[in-house]
Every structure is written in structure tokens, then in C-alpha cells.
């Protein structure tokens, strides 16, 4: 029986079904063929057209090769180039060019892409990228688009930029350059949530970067480095071979700071980079500067505080520890030319912001405490006359301790050359202190307002040499070596106690009378000064400076002196009293004979006490001198030597017989008290004033009338300047 399903109608339907299946097969084949051979060119043209459209034809993108792998969800680009298509660009666009050798994208979430959701991507690698930015946009676009992470959110497992480099600025003279860099990031959440996540840095869970040969310009200075290494997950930042070169002479902004700086290595550990991005707060455990060298020329105007200079970078910096190893610091462009070598310093708990600089913050240079030491420190006082140096410096701010060793001031000119240079008489100074110890140093006050407050200063074995030449006029300007000069200091100086131990003062003088040098030495000097201060809260008439000292003149005559004075007294009043022990007056001949042509032929002092008062006008007081066998001898200078002369013999006889009394008490038992009477001559130092008073009293006690003793004590050598 025939099958009813093979009816004529069914037979006629079969050819139509076959054609449908055949058409579908053709469509699928065409789609597959297009995906294989047409998708890549279409995507390439699409990318190139989209760049031209979005930049209104001002930029052109070219892609040498584009290949997709749909099954692998991958995209590969080769030979990508982006460059301006016109000679001029809109001021809302930067001028740049880009060349990329290779881009590899894998693991793209196609379904999420079609649904316009956050697109997951396994990895993105850019190889051999070069970017040249000739200029930035001069103004923002009038209709700003939403941020890119809001337009195209994605989650990228791994990002790698290999052999990246480029420059910024004009092609012929770029102001910034990067030779090459390798940068990678892990787990980038390129979304609004990723941007707000405070545990992420620039959307990523972790960044690694190695930058080779970065260079740039800032303020006319050229900045270069050999290597920058950064790892956010290791909290590490390292900078190698940083150099800052100042502008060439005649270049740069006039009056601006000029810096020459080199830093072989900077290493920062425990860096919290995410805090820096999200909170504008720099935080790190430690920073170490190895062998830094800084020479700078200060600006014409004082710069703002450090926290203001760094405000564009962060609002606050917190660093647990800062170490400086073997640093060098010098100031150029100032006549003093200070320099510090071999600086080793360690700062603890450093905070940089406005609060850390305020009075009462209890910080020294923004740190809770510093310990450190240096090598040789040099400078020049009254340049170029007095080069000065310090062998080593040691400090501990938390223990309030400061120690200096081998302090020295050595002149470059002789006393005669000083007189010629200045046009009047100047005393040449040579000084050396074996060690200077400061205890109870208030480093906080010193850091806050430059006020120096010290509980105690001890100077070990100080040596002071004063050399003078009497040829030349007397300087008419007031001397600065007076207690009242402390009133002119802008900063407060407050030393509770100052001790000098085993010091020496050596004086030498060349008078116009002879070319011979007279000398006088004070040995075994031990002195203590209390309340050395120009702070009105401590220095008053009721709380004056007080001092006591013992010493030996020519190592043979013991002297004891006490002093009281107010350093802020506008009248300059001082009270000096003390005594001299037994000695032969011949100990003064080394200074008297070559300079005054007077010699103590005989005479012995049993003891001298004195009481001296000074102000800015007068020197008064009394002297009680016990002596016997006093005889003067007046000499002359001839043919290079000091010798007796006929005139000198006559003068000696007259003075010894008629003026000078050879003993005190007198033969009749009467004791003569010498009157200290002299004018205070402000052009001379306070030490000269003390000597003036003592000399007038000594002369008066020997029988010289008061007026004559005063005149002789005030007399100073004057003469023509030494020949050039």
C-alpha cells in the first residue's frame, strides 16, 4: 500500500527546505569568512575613523596590523602610530605623537562588553611605546566628558608597559625626557569604586615601576637620574644617581635660588603611596640619603617655609626616621662661604606641615629629635680676613647636648696689612678652642625663633692671641668688644653659665717707636661667667652678669678677678675688682721694653688689690699696691737694638728721684691708695678700658700725680700707616 506521507504536496516542499538550509549555511559561512578575513580590517578602520571623529580630524591614527582571536578573546595590534593631522591644533588639545610597536590584549569579557557592563580583561601589554608631548592643552574642553573610567569601566588583571619612553616639550629642546621604563600593575579596577578605594593606588592593587634615565628642567635647573624604582606592594621607592645642575651664568630667573645637588642614592621604605593619592598625606617608615652633596646660592628674598613649598605635593608629611649618610652642604654667593663636610644625621618622627612649625610644637627642623655628627666645618669671618673652622660637631637634641672640637680662627693678613687695608689700627685675632661643650641646649627655641638658650657652656683650653701694630690712626667707630654691644643683637643669647678652663691669652704689640715686638701672656686662665644674656627677662640690674676668674701673668703672678655688669644697661656700668699676687715687676719688661722703651730695673710687688667702676663716660676706683725697690730705666733705640742712652740716664734719674716713690707703704709708714681715673674711650674694647683704669691707679700709687697718670693711661700710639 503506498505511503501517504509521500504525497505530491510534500514532495514539492522538499526543495524549498533545502534552499533555506543552504542559505543559512551560506550566511554562516559568510559570517565566518567575514570574521576571519573582514573583522580585522573593519576594526582597524573603525579605530582610525573614531580617533579622527573624536578629534575633529586633527589627529590621525594608523595601525599597521590588527589581529583578533575570538576563541581566545584576544586582540593584537602592531605598528600603532598617532600624530597630528594638521599644522595647528585646537587649544583644547595637546600636541603629541605616539608610536607603539605592539599591543596585546587577552581574556576580554565579550558578553560584558556587549551588555555595557564592567568588562573583565585578563591582561594588557604595551611593548616599545614612545610618546613625544610637544605641548599641553592650553585650556580645558568647553563640554568636558565624564571620566574615562565611567564611560568604559573595566577590571584588568594585569597591565604591563615595556620599554616605554618619551619626551615633553619642543622636539629640538625638550624639558623632560625618559630614556626607557618598565611598568606593571596588578588587579586594576577601572571604575568609580576603584577610584574611590583608599587601598588602591591609581585604580590598582599594586604597581611596579623601573624608570631609566629620567631627565627634566625645573626653575632653570637641569634634573637627571639614572634609575627610579618603585613598588607599591613592597612599599619601596629608590632613586639612584640624582643630579641637579644650576642654570648657566646669565641664565635663570634673577635673584632666584640656584642649586647644585647630587645624590647617589635615596631609599624610602614603608611608603604608603595610596595615602598620598587619596589623603594628600605622605607617610613612610624611613628615608635614607647616601652621600648627598648640596651647594646652593640663597635667593634674594627669603623663601617661604618648607611646608608651603611642598603644599602642591601634599598637605602633610609623616616620616618615622630620616637618615643622612656622609653629606656635604655649602652656601655659595655669600662672602662667608660656609661649608659642612661628612654630615651624618638621624631624625626621628618628622612631620612637615604648618602645625609642626608653630612655636610650642617641640620640634627641631620638623623632627622630634636629631642626633648627628659632622666632619670639618669652614667659613670666613670678615671675608677674606679670618678663615674659621671646626673639626667636628656632635649633637643630640633630645639630650640637649652639643659638642664642638678643634675650633680655630686664623688670620690671613699681618697686623700691619690689616692697618693698611682698613686705613686705621686693627687688632689681629687668632683663636683656638680644643673643645666646646654645650649642656642643656634649647634646640626647640633655636629652631623656632633663632634664640640660643644654653644651661652651661664649657670651653676647654681656649687660646686667644691679640696682635696689634701702633702705626696708623685710631678707629673712630665704637668697638664691638664691649658688654653693651649685646643690646644690638636681634636674637636672644642666654647662657646660664660659661666656663673657660686652662685658657691662654697672648698679646703682642709693635709700636711706632721700634720695629721690635712686645709680648705679654696670661696663662692658666680659669673663668666662670653666669647669666650671659641679652634677654630682658633674665638680664636686669637686679640680675646682672657675674663672673670670676683666676690666671697667671707670664706664668708667675697669680691674678684673681670678679666682675658684675648688666648687659642691657644703656649706661654700660661695670664693676671689676680683684687682686694680684707677689711678683717681680720685671715680668712686664717683655711688653714695656720694646714698645715703650721703659724697663723695670728693679721692684717687687707683695700684693695688689683693686676696685674699678666703669660706665660709658668714666673709669674710676681705687688700687692698693704693696711694693718695694721700684726703679725705672728709660732707654733708647739705635741701630736695631734697645740700649741705654745719655738722655735716658738723665730722665731715669729725674723720674726715680723726683716722681716715683720706690715703695708703698712709704718710709714713714703712710700707705698711698692709687686713684683709678681715666676717660672711657668707646673706640677701644672693654679689655683696653680695664687696663686703662688699672694703669692709672698703679701710676698714681707710685707717686705720679693723678692728672699725669690719667693722661698717660689714655695715651695711644699714633703714626703714619706702615709702608705698602
Amino acid at each position: 500500500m503506498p505511503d501517504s506521507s509521500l504525497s505530491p504536496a510534500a514532495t514539492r516542499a522538499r526543495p524549498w527546505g533545502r534552499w533555506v538550509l543552504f542559505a543559512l549555511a551560506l550566511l554562516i559561512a559568510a559570517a565566518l569568512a567575514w570574521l576571519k578575513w573582514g573583522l580585522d580590517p573593519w576594526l582597524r578602520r573603525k579605530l582610525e575613523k573614531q580617533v579622527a571623529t573624536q578629534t575633529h580630524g586633527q589627529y590621525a591614527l594608523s595601525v599597521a596590523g590588527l589581529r583578533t582571536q575570538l576563541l581566545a578573546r584576544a586582540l593584537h595590534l602592531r605598528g600603532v602610530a598617532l600624530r597630528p593631522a594638521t599644522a595647528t591644533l585646537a587649544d583644547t588639545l595637546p600636541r603629541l605623537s605616539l608610536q607603539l610597536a605592539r599591543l596585546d590584549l587577552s581574556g576580554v569579557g565579550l558578553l560584558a562588553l556587549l551588555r555595557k557592563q564592567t568588562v573583565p580583561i585578563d591582561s594588557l601589554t604595551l611593548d616599545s611605546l614612545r610618546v613625544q608631548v610637544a605641548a599641553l592643552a592650553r585650556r580645558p574642553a568647553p563640554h568636558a566628558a565624564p571620566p574615562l573610567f565611567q564611560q568604559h569601566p573595566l577590571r584588568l588583571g594585569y597591565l604591563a608597559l615595556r620599554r616605554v619612553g618619551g619626551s615633553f616639550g619642543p622636539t629640538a629642546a625638550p624639558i623632560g625626557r625618559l630614556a626607557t621604563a618598565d611598568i606593571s600593575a596588578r588587579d586594576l579596577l577601572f571604575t568609580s569604586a576603584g577610584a574611590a578605594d583608599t587601598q588602591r593606588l591609581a585604580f590598582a592593587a599594586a604597581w611596579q615601576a623601573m624608570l631609566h634615565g629620567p631627565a627634566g628642567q625645573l626653575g632653570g635647573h637641569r634634573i637627571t637620574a639614572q634609575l627610579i624604582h618603585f613598588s607599591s606592594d613592597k612599599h619601596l621607592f629608590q632613586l639612584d644617581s640624582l643630579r641637579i645642575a644650576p642654570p648657566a651664568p646669565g641664565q635663570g630667573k634673577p635673584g632666584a635660588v640656584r642649586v647644585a645637588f647630587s645624590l647617589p642614592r635615596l631609599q624610602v621604605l614603608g611608603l604608603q603611596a595610596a595615602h598620598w593619592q587619596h589623603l594628600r598625606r605622605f607617610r613612610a617608615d624611613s628615608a635614607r640619603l647616601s652621600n648627598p652633596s648640596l651647594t646652593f646660592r640663597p635667593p634674594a628674598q627669603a623663601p617661604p617655609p618648607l611646608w608651603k613649598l611642598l603644599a602642591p605635593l601634599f598637605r602633610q608629611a609623616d616620616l618615622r626616621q630620616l637618615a643622612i649618610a656622609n653629606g656635604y652642604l655649602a652656601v655659595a654667593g655669600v662672602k662667608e662661604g660656609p661649608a659642612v663636610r661628612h654630615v651624618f644625621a638621624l631624625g626621628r618622627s618628622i612631620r612637615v606641615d604648618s602645625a609642626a612649625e608653630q612655636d610650642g610644637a617641640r620640634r627641631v627642623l620638623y623632627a622630634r629629635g636629631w642626633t648627628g655628627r659632622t666632619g670639618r666645618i669652614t667659613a670666613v669671618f670678615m671675608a677674606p680676613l679670618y678663615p674659621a673652622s671646626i673639626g667636628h660637631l656632635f649633637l643630640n637634641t633630645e639630650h640637649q647636648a652639643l659638642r664642638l672640637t678643634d675650633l680655630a680662627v686664623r688670620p690671613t693678613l699681618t697686623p700691619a696689612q690689616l692697618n693698611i687695608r682698613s686705613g686705621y689700627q686693627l687688632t689681629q685675632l687668632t683663636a683656638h678652642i680644643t673643645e666646646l661643650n654645650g649642656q642643656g641646649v634649647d634646640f626647640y627655641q633655636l629652631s623656632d625663633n633663632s634664640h640660643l638658650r644654653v644651661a652651661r657652656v664649657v670651653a676647654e683650653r681656649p687660646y686667644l692671641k691679640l696682635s696689634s701694630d701702633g702705626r696708623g690712626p685710631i678707629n673712630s667707630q665704637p668697638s664691638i668688644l664691649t658688654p653693651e654691644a649685646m643690646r644690638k643683637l636681634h636674637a636672644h643669647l642666654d647662657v646660664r653659665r660659661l666656663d673657660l678652663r686652662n685658657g691662654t691669652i697672648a698679646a703682642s704689640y709693635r709700636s711706632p717707636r721700634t720695629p721690635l715686638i712686645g709680648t705679654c701672656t696670661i696663662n692658666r686662665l680659669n673663668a666662670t661667667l653666669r647669666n650671659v644674656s641679652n634677654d630682658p627677662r633674665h638680664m636686669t640690674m637686679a640680675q646682672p652678669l657675674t663672673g670670676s676668674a683666676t690666671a697667671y701673668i707670664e706664668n708667675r703672678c697669680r691674678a684673681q678677678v670678679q666682675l658684675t655688669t648688666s648687659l642691657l644697661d644703656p649706661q654700660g656700668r661695670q664693676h671689676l675688682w680683684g687682686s694680684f699676687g707677689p711678683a717681680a715687676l720685671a715680668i712686664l719688661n717683655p711688653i714695656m721694653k720694646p714698645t715703650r722703651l721703659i724697663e723695670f730695673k728693679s721692684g717687687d710687688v707683695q700684693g695688689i688689690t683693686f676696685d674699678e667702676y666703669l660706665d660709658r663716660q668714666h673709669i674710676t676706683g681705687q688700687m692698693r699696691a704693696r711694693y718695694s725697690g721700684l726703679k725705672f730705666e728709660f732707654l733708647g733705640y739705635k741701630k736695631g737694638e734697645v740700649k741705654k742712652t745719655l738722655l735716658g740716664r738723665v730722665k731715669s734719674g729725674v723720674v726715680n728721684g723726683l716722681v716715683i716713690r720706690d715703695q708703698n707703704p712709704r718710709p714713714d709708714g703712710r700707705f698711698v691708695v692709687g686713684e683709678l681715673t681715666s676717660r672711657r674711650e668707646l673706640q677701644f674694647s672693654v679689655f683696653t678700658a680695664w687696663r686703662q683704669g688699672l694703669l692709672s691707679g698703679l701710676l698714681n700709687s707710685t707717686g705720679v700725680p693723678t692728672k699725669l697718670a690719667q693722661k698717660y693711661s689714655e695715651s695711644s700710639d699714633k703714626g703714619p700707616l706702615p709702608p705698602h
Side-chain angles (χ1 to χ4, degrees):
M1 185 173 181
D3 190 352
S4 61
S5 64
L6 297 178
S7 63
T11 304
R12 288 193 301 267
R14 287 173 184 161
W16 179 84
R18 294 190 187 100
W19 283 110
V20 170
L21 294 175
F22 181 72
L24 288 174
L26 285 177
L27 288 174
I28 293 173
L32 292 175
W34 184 84
L35 289 175
K36 181 173 180 60
W37 290 289
L39 177 60
D40 293 351
W42 179 83
L43 281 177
R44 185 180 65 186
R45 291 191 300 271
K46 181 68 174 177
L47 289 174
E48 294 173 347
K49 184 178 179 181
Q50 188 173 13
V51 168
T53 300
Q54 291 184 347
T55 63
H56 303 286
Q58 297 184 81
Y59 270 95
L61 175 69
S62 64
V63 180
L66 184 150
R67 182 167 60 90
T68 58
Q69 294 177 301
L70 294 178
L71 295 180
R73 295 175 296 143
L75 176 67
H76 306 281
L77 300 178
R78 301 292 183 270
V80 180
L82 177 69
R83 60 180 59 88
T86 60
T88 59
L89 296 174
D91 56 5
T92 58
L93 292 176
R95 174 168 288 275
L96 60 85
S97 61
L98 176 152
Q99 296 84 37
L100 174 62
R102 178 173 177 174
L103 182 149
D104 296 303
L105 187 66
S106 65
V108 180
L110 297 177
L111 186 59
L113 178 62
L114 294 174
R115 292 176 176 176
K116 295 184 178 181
Q117 298 174 339
T118 299
V119 180
I121 301 175
D122 291 343
S123 68
L124 172 62
T125 302
L126 286 76
D127 199 338
S128 301
L129 173 64
R130 304 296 299 180
V131 181
Q132 286 81 37
V133 181
L136 298 175
R138 292 190 295 273
R139 66 182 182 88
H143 305 290
L148 189 61
F149 64 82
Q150 293 181 359
Q151 299 180 57
H152 305 289
L154 59 87
R155 184 154 199 163
L156 180 59
Y158 178 75
L159 170 67
L161 290 82
R162 299 170 182 166
R163 293 179 286 275
V164 178
S167 63
F168 174 75
T171 304
I175 61 175
R177 187 185 299 274
L178 177 63
T180 182
D182 292 289
I183 304 171
S184 63
R186 175 175 55 81
D187 188 16
L188 281 111
L189 184 58
F190 198 65
T191 65
S192 298
D197 190 345
T198 59
Q199 301 303 311
R200 291 177 176 271
L201 175 64
F203 303 98
W207 284 92
Q208 298 277 348
M210 295 285 286
L211 282 63
H212 299 269
Q217 294 185 24
L218 180 63
H221 291 71
R222 180 70 176 167
I223 305 173
T224 61
Q226 186 180 72
L227 175 68
I228 296 177
H229 178 206
F230 170 69
S231 173
S232 65
D233 55 350
K234 295 181 180 178
H235 306 288
L236 168 69
F237 177 85
Q238 183 172 306
L239 175 63
D240 289 350
S241 300
L242 172 66
R243 292 186 180 276
I244 302 177
Q251 298 182 359
K253 184 179 179 181
V257 65
R258 300 173 73 92
V259 173
F261 182 63
S262 66
L263 179 61
R265 172 162 289 188
L266 165 66
Q267 188 175 65
V268 181
L269 301 178
L271 175 64
Q272 303 296 325
H275 283 75
W276 193 345
Q277 175 191 344
H278 296 283
L279 304 176
R280 294 191 65 243
R281 180 179 178 183
F282 174 87
R283 293 186 61 190
D285 291 337
S286 67
R288 179 181 176 85
L289 287 72
S290 300
N291 300 293
S293 176
L294 171 62
T295 300
F296 73 96
R297 182 186 297 268
Q301 295 182 347
L306 179 62
W307 64 270
K308 283 190 176 180
L309 290 174
L310 299 178
L313 297 178
F314 44 73
R315 62 179 180 83
Q316 180 180 326
D318 290 286
L319 182 62
R320 292 184 182 178
Q321 180 176 288
L322 172 63
I324 301 173
N326 197 27
Y328 172 83
L329 173 64
V331 182
V334 295
K335 57 186 179 181
E336 293 80 9
V340 187
R341 299 159 182 83
H342 306 301
V343 178
F344 292 84
L346 186 66
R348 179 184 63 82
S349 184
I350 296 172
R351 176 179 175 180
V352 180
D353 62 4
S354 59
E357 198 180 54
Q358 294 176 359
D359 291 348
R362 305 297 292 174
R363 290 181 179 271
V364 179
L365 297 178
Y366 299 98
R368 286 295 184 195
W370 287 95
T371 58
R373 58 185 173 89
T374 75
R376 186 176 173 83
I377 304 173
T378 57
V380 182
F381 296 131
M382 298 176 64
L385 301 183
Y386 289 104
S389 64
I390 299 173
H392 295 86
L393 177 149
F394 304 86
L395 66 82
N396 187 319
T397 63
E398 294 177 274
H399 293 170
Q400 297 185 306
L402 175 66
R403 181 163 67 95
L404 309 174
T405 66
D406 196 20
L407 295 85
V409 176
R410 296 181 176 87
T412 58
L413 299 180
T414 66
Q417 290 171 331
L418 283 175
N419 291 2
I420 294 170
R421 186 178 188 274
S422 63
Y424 49 80
Q425 294 183 37
L426 276 181
T427 299
Q428 182 205 63
L429 172 68
T430 304
H432 181 265
I433 301 176
T434 302
E435 187 171 302
L436 190 68
N437 276 297
Q439 304 164 11
V441 182
D442 192 340
F443 289 101
Y444 303 112
Q445 282 291 330
L446 185 62
S447 176
D448 287 345
N449 47 41
S450 301
H451 295 340
L452 179 59
R453 294 179 179 173
V454 188
R456 186 179 184 185
V457 176
V458 180
E460 300 286 355
R461 294 187 294 281
Y463 173 83
L464 179 65
K465 182 178 180 181
L466 305 171
S467 302
S468 304
D469 192 308
R471 293 172 293 176
I474 303 298
N475 183 11
S476 60
Q477 297 298 316
S479 172
I480 62 173
L481 297 178
T482 60
E484 53 266 32
M486 291 280 287
R487 300 174 67 238
K488 300 179 181 180
L489 291 179
H490 296 295
H492 286 166
L493 172 66
D494 187 43
V495 179
R496 297 288 82 211
R497 175 171 175 170
L498 171 61
D499 292 324
L500 307 178
R501 294 177 176 172
N502 197 20
T504 300
I505 299 176
S508 65
Y509 178 65
R510 196 269 196 202
S511 78
R513 298 177 180 84
T514 77
L516 304 178
I517 305 299
T519 62
C520 180
T521 305
I522 298 176
N523 315 93
R524 290 184 275 172
L525 171 63
N526 291 281
T528 296
L529 299 177
R530 291 180 171 84
N531 193 28
V532 183
S533 175
N534 65 351
D535 188 340
R537 294 174 298 178
H538 295 157
M539 180 55 60
T540 64
M541 297 301 294
Q543 289 181 298
L545 176 150
T546 61
S548 61
T550 60
Y552 285 80
I553 300 174
E554 297 294 343
N555 241 341
R556 295 159 66 183
C557 175
R558 188 177 188 275
Q560 184 172 350
V561 180
Q562 296 187 69
L563 168 70
T564 178
T565 181
S566 173
L567 300 181
L568 299 182
D569 181 8
Q571 301 300 320
R573 286 169 286 195
Q574 305 170 43
H575 182 199
L576 186 74
W577 71 99
S579 63
F580 296 92
L585 286 169
I587 64 174
L588 299 179
N589 284 338
I591 188 67
M592 296 288 291
K593 185 175 178 180
T595 62
R596 299 293 180 186
L597 295 178
I598 300 175
E599 182 179 25
F600 286 101
K601 187 176 182 179
S602 63
D604 293 295
V605 172
Q606 286 77 52
I608 297 176
T609 62
F610 65 92
D611 200 13
E612 185 174 17
Y613 294 87
L614 299 86
D615 58 27
R616 291 179 62 83
Q617 287 80 36
H618 307 97
I619 303 171
T620 60
Q622 292 184 330
M623 174 178 283
R624 291 172 171 80
R626 296 181 179 273
Y627 60 88
S628 60
L630 176 60
K631 295 292 181 183
F632 283 102
E633 186 165 44
F634 290 85
L635 306 168
Y637 179 77
K638 190 175 182 180
K639 294 182 179 181
E641 61 178 337
V642 177
K643 58 178 64 175
K644 297 178 182 179
T645 64
L646 178 60
L647 180 60
R649 289 190 178 94
V650 173
K651 193 174 181 180
S652 299
V654 172
V655 171
N656 288 325
L658 301 178
V659 180
I660 299 299
R661 299 295 178 259
D662 64 351
Q663 65 183 62
N664 198 23
R666 304 294 192 247
D668 59 3
R670 180 172 57 91
F671 187 84
V672 177
V673 177
E675 295 295 328
L676 279 65
T677 304
S678 190
R679 286 186 303 113
R680 176 73 187 278
E681 298 171 297
L682 298 178
Q683 65 268 36
F684 297 117
S685 72
V686 67
F687 306 106
T688 301
W690 294 347
R691 188 203 65 196
Q692 272 184 223
L694 294 177
L695 180 58
S696 69
L698 179 61
L699 291 174
N700 186 238
S701 71
T702 63
V704 178
T706 301
K707 291 294 185 182
L708 187 59
Q710 177 182 348
K711 182 178 179 180
Y712 190 81
S713 70
E714 294 170 357
S715 65
S716 300
D717 288 332
K718 300 177 184 178
L721 287 168
H724 288 59

